[in-house]
Amino acid sequence: EKGSTGAHTKSFGVGGPLSGMLNLATSLAFSILSTRFSTLGVEHSSLRCSRITAESPPVGRLSSLLTDLGSSDWQPLRPRSCLANPCFASSLLTSFSVSEACRRGVYVPFGIGPTAVLASSVIYWSNPIKESLRRTVDLFAVRVGMAVQVLLAWRYCSGRALPLILAGYTAGGACYACGRILTVRGAVLAGHRVHCGVHVFANLGNLLILPYVV
């Protein structure tokens, strides 16, 4: 019994990459919450002065969020150095998905998609331009790569893997939406910090399925 428990623990652990990604995910969650509460604090006084805004129906608020989410009236953060862009730094996290797939001997097929995403993301975020071929390629690589990873989890992993990767991708999608809304509303730096959650949670999902490869 003791031996089987130890074997199970060893097979499940992803080691350094998983521990690091979990710490990053926790830190990002606190960062998102503090950013949100800060934003609410700034907006509180204006809400008190505007009774109409404060009493706007939930349907109107949802419509406003959806409008901002679909808006094209935004520009990416472009500091003087790409190293000052949080999204450039977080895009490098995909290297954990690649290296862990290599370490476990499942680079083909589990590391191919993350490699493509890593390359396209680093190239785009090194000098982000909204209307550019590099952004188009990055979006294509990310969407196709995520779809392929879900199919691989369904086909080549045991039952627990699919819910784990879907949870990671769902959390990443929520960060993408919140980041876009913040950026559209003028909180560009905060929006990009929240966007980092796409890289954190998506790669966490990639890492969590690897112990379940059969």
Side-chain angles (χ1 to χ4, degrees), residues 30-51:
F30 280 113
S31 176
I32 292 172
L33 288 173
S34 62
T35 299
R36 180 55 182 161
F37 288 143
S38 176
T39 303
L40 286 174
V42 172
E43 293 177 348
H44 182 64
S45 59
S46 63
L47 289 176
R48 291 178 61 185
C49 296
S50 177
R51 187 171 184 178

Side-chain angles (χ1 to χ4, degrees), residues 6 21 52 72 86 95 103 127 129 131 143 152-153 164 205:
M21 294 296 288
I52 296 178
S72 60
S95 60
R103 189 182 74 82
N127 181 28
I129 299 176
E131 303 295 338
R143 291 168 181 173
L152 290 174
L164 288 174

